[in-house]
Amino acid sequence: MTLQQLKYVLEVASKGSMNEAAKSLFISQPRLSNAIKELEKEVKITLFIRTNRGVTISNEGSEFLGYARQVLQQFNMLEEKYISEKPAKQHFSISTQHYTFAANAFVELVKEFGAENYEFTLRESKTYEIIEDVKNLRSELGIIYLSSDNESILLKLLKERNIIFSELFTAQPHVFISKRHPLSDKEYINLDELDDYPCLSFEQGEYNSFYLSEEILSTRSVKKSIKVSDRATIVNFMIGLDGYTISSGVFPKYLHGDDIIAVPLNADEVIRVGIIKHSDVILTKLGEIYMDALKRVAQEL
């Protein structure tokens, strides 16, 4: 196995076509195809499924690509630091559920890193995709939550994918609503008081199981339900439709002033928010900086 072969594999995965990848690599299509076949023979797995419309990554290939991407990133950093005259570009990616504190810690990472040449990625994504990103090393870290409803299923999913969950903090469930909501003056809210208002939740795509929901108590039946894909929309619906969502209560006021408030929910539940990491991965320096930033944020909550 060579670094060149790993570069070929990543380019084919990026283009979705042997022919297009060969053009971008400035080599012939037969040469590229043979190099991929030789690598598949050596590692004893099928990396790509060939069709008339191009190539798709196999399940085994997806995991292999994660390791290949990590190896090439480390090699590029070595090359840039010790051979090239250009400053080394740092790469770092995380995947997270829609948590503002994750973005806060990301800001701290960028400020502390302070280099002139970097490429960072923060993916606010669906729960299943976060787990797959960490499994395939597309992201160094992921952020999800566990509760009594989903813990047994999610921990099983993580174990099957060689992923470790580390708790950051626990929180009592809160109801996020507009400050003008009819329930906004209550000291706490009971579940039955929410029946006449739209329940807002983040859409989970084809893996729309309640075990993968970002919202606690997602198994309860509601009369009105609206699913969205981003944080800005869910906030607009809280204000414009008297909608609500149930989460950890962590919601910095500086993002939306006093428009959104968090009222404690009268429910015997606990939210465990934590980091997920592939067990085979040793955190990079950037990963350590981000973890430290998350812990500082968690201590302030």
Side-chain angles (χ1 to χ4, degrees):
M1 187 189 308
T2 66
L3 287 172
Q4 190 68 57
Q5 285 175 313
L6 298 184
K7 291 178 182 177
Y8 287 172
V9 168
L10 290 175
E11 191 64 25
V12 172
S14 173
K15 300 296 183 183
S17 162
M18 289 283 183
N19 191 43
E20 292 302 314
K23 288 179 182 177
S24 66
L25 292 165
F26 302 103
I27 61 174
S28 68
Q29 192 274 334
R31 178 183 168 188
L32 175 60
S33 183
N34 287 336
I36 298 295
K37 287 178 181 177
E38 288 175 6
L39 180 59
E40 289 178 320
K41 183 177 179 181
E42 181 180 359
V43 298
K44 298 180 176 63
I45 62 173
T46 299
L47 298 172
F48 298 103
I49 300 169
R50 281 79 167 172
T51 69
N52 293 333
R53 292 174 294 179
V55 297
T56 57
I57 305 168
S58 69
N59 289 336
E60 291 176 314
S62 182
E63 184 174 13
F64 180 89
L65 257 67
Y67 287 103
R69 190 177 293 112
Q70 190 179 43
V71 168
L72 284 174
Q73 285 178 354
Q74 295 298 319
F75 173 78
N76 289 337
M77 288 171 60
L78 282 171
E79 188 176 49
E80 290 170 350
K81 183 174 180 64
Y82 294 107
I83 299 176
S84 174
E85 294 181 358
K86 298 184 300 181
K89 176 181 282 189
Q90 296 276 20
H91 296 264
F92 180 69
S93 298
I94 68 160
S95 295
T96 176
Q97 292 175 326
H98 296 77
Y99 294 129
T100 50
F101 66 83
N104 296 349
F106 202 81
V107 170
E108 289 195 31
L109 166 70
V110 175
K111 288 181 176 179
E112 185 169 343
F113 175 67
E116 297 180 358
N117 197 1
Y118 59 80
E119 183 177 315
F120 295 162
T121 304
L122 171 64
R123 300 184 182 94
E124 286 192 344
S125 192
K126 301 174 177 64
T127 305
Y128 186 84
E129 292 175 0
I130 294 168
I131 294 172
E132 289 298 293
D133 282 348
V134 174
K135 170 198 166 189
N136 295 322
L137 308 182
R138 189 164 178 253
S139 289
E140 188 169 330
L141 297 169
I143 304 174
I144 63 172
Y145 86 93
L146 299 180
S147 70
S148 59
D149 285 337
N150 68 13
E151 182 169 347
S152 60
I153 299 297
L154 286 189
L155 287 179
K156 181 175 181 292
L157 280 177
L158 296 178
K159 184 176 181 181
E160 290 171 350
R161 288 158 175 75
N162 244 354
I163 295 173
I164 303 166
F165 176 89
S166 301
E167 186 177 298
L168 273 172
F169 64 88
T170 61
Q172 299 300 314
H174 285 64
V175 182
F176 286 122
I177 52 177
S178 162
K179 69 177 181 180
R180 293 180 291 275
H181 194 283
L183 301 176
S184 62
D185 61 347
K186 299 187 75 68
E187 185 178 350
Y188 62 85
I189 294 175
N190 295 310
L191 280 173
D192 58 3
E193 294 179 288
L194 297 169
D195 286 347
D196 293 329
Y197 302 103
C199 178
L200 310 174
S201 59
F202 287 108
E203 191 264 340
Q204 295 295 321
E206 62 179 303
Y207 300 99
N208 206 23
S209 161
F210 68 84
Y211 295 116
L212 300 173
S213 171
E214 285 196 39
E215 297 77 30
I216 197 168
L217 301 172
S218 59
T219 56
R220 56 187 277 267
S221 177
V222 297
K223 293 190 295 185
K224 303 174 182 179
S225 174
I226 300 175
K227 296 186 181 297
V228 303
S229 59
D230 65 90
R231 253 189 297 137
T233 301
I234 214 167
V235 168
N236 288 337
F237 288 171
M238 287 179 202
I239 297 171
L241 299 175
D242 279 341
Y244 72 90
T245 191
I246 301 174
S247 190
S248 65
V250 180
F251 196 80
K253 287 186 176 181
Y254 68 79
L255 287 178
H256 299 282
D258 294 318
D259 288 337
I260 303 301
I261 62 173
V263 181
L265 178 69
N266 186 22
D268 187 21
E269 291 285 349
V270 175
I271 299 171
R272 296 173 56 207
V273 178
I275 287 285
I276 59 173
K277 180 184 81 68
H278 198 292
S279 60
D280 291 343
V281 169
I282 298 174
L283 284 184
T284 63
K285 181 62 176 176
L286 294 174
E288 292 175 354
I289 292 173
Y290 186 71
M291 281 281 282
D292 289 342
L294 278 175
K295 290 173 181 176
R296 285 195 297 271
V297 172
Q299 288 172 356
E300 295 170 0
L301 300 177

